[in-house]
Amino acid sequence: MHTWPDSLRFAFQPVVNLTTGSAAALEILARPESGDVLARAHRDPELDGDLAALAIRDAARRETLLPLHVNVFAGTLADLGGLDALRRAVRDAGRLPWEVTVDVGPPFTHVPHRALLEGVAVLRKEGFRVCADGVGDGDVPLRLLDDLAPDLIKLDASLLSRGATVRAMRTLCEEIGALLAVEGVETETQCMAARDAGAQLAQGNLFAPAARLPISEVYVPELPPAVGSSRPTGPPVRDFVRPAALLPDSASAEQVRRRLTGAAEVSGVLLVDAAGVPVRSVQRDRFLLSLSTRYGHALYADRPAARLGDRPRTVGVTATAWEVLDVVADGEHARTADDVAVVDDGGRCVGVVRLTDLVRALAESRVEEAAGLNPLTRLPGSDSVTGELDRWVAQGRGFALSWLDIDGFKQVNDGAGFAAGDELIRAVGRALARTASESVRVGHIGGDDFLVLADPEQLGPLAAAVLDAPWSAGGRAVTLSLATVVCPPGSVPDHRRAAALLAPLKKAAKALSGASWVCGHAGREGFDVRRGARAAAAARDRRGASAAG
């Protein structure tokens, strides 16, 4: 008798890491050859749960080692709670729960909120990861999205035309500890937009179309470094996470050998406990060398592989690339090339990072950073500051943007010489650099002009550092002018509007004699004269006296 499973086939599409250019997982997509089984699954939670289980069983027959994504409707998870059929299929396939991500998709309307959260909690307790699918193109409420706290959020590529929206979603992901993916990517332009907006993962026909057989080879175009993406602390390690080859800590050496020799891309195996916490790390070359000795296989094959492993090196998922290098540098020299396990707040493994990926990315970021530095002060140019400003805007963060220059700099150059003028610019640049921090970003626009982005509460120390210091060139006293616009959260859409508000304040600061500082606020008329007021008043008095005489 013909049944609906007979007319159902599955296809596999890679989820691609945009930093490493490799497949991070495979999404399993149901492809019915006839009938309306997917429409029925929308109305029938039991059927939808069975489809997810069948997807796992189909993947098991394909012998793919990559982590898997399976799809369920939000209503299915709310109705069935823990997806028992899926959990049994994962266990029967010999997969570990944390190798499987459940993509929870729309519609969310009319789905009981509490029941959905309880279903997610059951999956998380088992070790499954949870993805919020169809965000931005579906009907998931933002409040629910925050309550779900998914491990991954998937956006449709149609949103890439709304850069601010995608950047805002990336900010939300950073707040809740999730990764951001864009699906449906068809062109290199979309790929670049996804990466520049902060997405770590993507999938679509550009990289590899959905196919009946799982593949790990994907096409990723060469992408230039993201504008303004580098930070003093280095890129986040989550951008470099690769799938980990995981086995239970009770696995035998023969099981590990089969995993290591079954796929060329597997450089090591992590042995994890029942909670998914790495307990031993088995590196490919050292392990296979131990088994290749005269009696190695006979001695070790049936014994626990943990005996041939090392203590795992781990970093948190919020670590930076530089912190990973510190972990590697502090370890044994013989283990320099070993994978480093990335763990979540509960200590569970979410993947591994490879030293080669980190070194390549850090080298590229340093080259890009050096290319953007002003050769005189070695400070970043305006692009670095304005790129960071746009990120602060997307995060809903208030800020103060300041412009600083040297008064009468042409006369300084003409009177003291260009060498003295250059040294004065370098000295001002050094003073500004000393104020730089996570809340103060400094850029050298060119000539004697500087740009500073800061938290508003940092304005006092910033002004004191540059206006209270005595400046001179060739024995001649020199003063500086500072103009600031304070922008509360939501008051400007981007750096262009902030720069437009700053322009008249620059002109007002230069109109004051001596060291000066004027400060305005977005959405408010006029400005405050914080330095130079007395000099301006004295000039007015002198002009008044002259007119009276």
Side-chain angles (χ1 to χ4, degrees), residues 10 19 44 47 52-53 80 86 122 171 176 183 191 289 297 319 351 370 401 447 471 474 485 499 502 536 549:
F10 291 95
T19 300
D44 184 347
L47 175 57
L80 299 184
L86 172 65
V122 171
T171 300
I176 64 178
E183 52 188 353
C191 180
L289 182 62
H297 190 271
L401 182 64
W471 301 103
V485 58
L502 187 59

Side-chain angles (χ1 to χ4, degrees), residues 175-330:
E175 291 290 329
I176 64 178
L179 294 174
L180 181 64
V182 176
E183 52 188 353
V185 174
E186 303 287 340
T187 67
E188 295 191 3
T189 299
Q190 288 180 323
C191 180
M192 183 178 295
R195 198 283 315 270
D196 287 344
Q200 296 103 338
L201 304 171
Q203 61 187 118
N205 289 339
L206 173 69
F207 313 109
R212 289 291 176 83
L213 294 178
I215 61 170
S216 58
E217 294 297 322
V218 295
Y219 166 75
V220 178
E222 290 289 334
L223 299 175
V227 176
S229 63
S230 60
R231 289 175 169 83
T233 53
V237 73
R238 65 169 64 240
D239 290 355
F240 302 91
V241 172
R242 289 177 176 265
L246 303 176
L247 284 174
D249 54 4
S250 60
S252 68
E254 176 60 18
Q255 288 176 297
V256 171
R257 186 195 67 79
R258 288 199 299 268
R259 176 60 68 90
L260 290 173
T261 57
E265 66 269 17
V266 178
S267 57
V269 170
L270 287 172
L271 303 178
V272 297
D273 64 16
V277 176
V279 294
R280 301 297 282 176
S281 172
V282 180
Q283 196 270 343
R284 180 192 187 100
D285 293 340
R286 291 197 301 276
F287 176 82
L288 294 180
L289 182 62
S290 298
L291 262 62
S292 67
T293 60
R294 185 174 182 182
Y295 301 108
H297 190 271
L299 183 61
Y300 295 114
D302 296 327
R303 297 189 177 185
R307 297 186 180 186
L308 296 176
D310 300 291
R311 183 176 59 82
R313 297 183 302 183
T314 62
V315 295
V317 73
T318 58
T320 67
W322 289 111
E323 290 173 296
V324 178
L325 293 187
D326 289 340
V327 170
V328 173
D330 291 340

Side-chain angles (χ1 to χ4, degrees), residues 485-487 491-492 496-506 521-523:
V485 58
V486 177
C487 299
S491 60
V492 296
R496 296 175 182 82
R497 178 56 181 160
L501 294 174
L502 187 59
L505 302 177
K506 292 162 52 178
H521 289 74

Side-chain angles (χ1 to χ4, degrees), residues 342-523:
V342 182
V343 298
D344 61 17
D345 291 341
R348 296 185 307 183
C349 180
V350 299
V352 295
V353 290
R354 294 180 180 172
L355 184 63
T356 51
D357 290 336
L358 299 183
V359 171
R360 185 183 304 113
L362 290 172
E364 290 173 352
S365 70
R366 282 294 183 251
V367 170
E368 181 69 15
E369 179 182 325
L373 296 180
N374 186 284
L376 187 61
T377 60
R378 309 305 294 168
L379 288 173
S382 60
D383 284 350
S384 175
V385 176
T386 56
E388 187 67 14
L389 188 158
D390 285 340
R391 279 191 291 276
W392 288 18
V393 169
Q395 293 167 7
R397 182 173 173 180
F399 62 89
L401 182 64
S402 298
W403 166 87
L404 174 79
D405 85 336
I406 300 169
D407 295 327
F409 184 70
K410 183 179 185 303
Q411 288 72 31
V412 171
N413 264 349
D414 291 344
F418 71 87
D422 285 352
E423 180 52 39
L424 176 59
I425 289 174
R426 280 193 287 266
V428 173
R430 287 193 294 269
L432 286 172
R434 286 192 290 270
T435 71
S437 66
E438 281 298 308
S439 57
V440 179
R441 303 298 173 88
V442 177
H444 185 180
I445 301 174
D448 63 316
D449 293 303
F450 297 86
L451 198 62
V452 183
L453 173 69
D455 283 337
E457 56 267 24
Q458 298 296 324
L459 285 176
L462 169 66
V466 293
L467 298 182
D468 290 347
W471 301 103
S472 64
R476 300 173 52 167
V478 175
T479 59
L480 308 182
S481 292
L482 180 67
T484 299
V485 58
V486 177
C487 299
S491 60
V492 296
D494 53 33
H495 72 272
R496 296 175 182 82
R497 178 56 181 160
L501 294 174
L502 187 59
L505 302 177
K506 292 162 52 178
K507 186 175 181 181
K510 296 300 289 183
L512 300 173
S513 56
S516 61
W517 180 21
V518 300
C519 183
H521 289 74

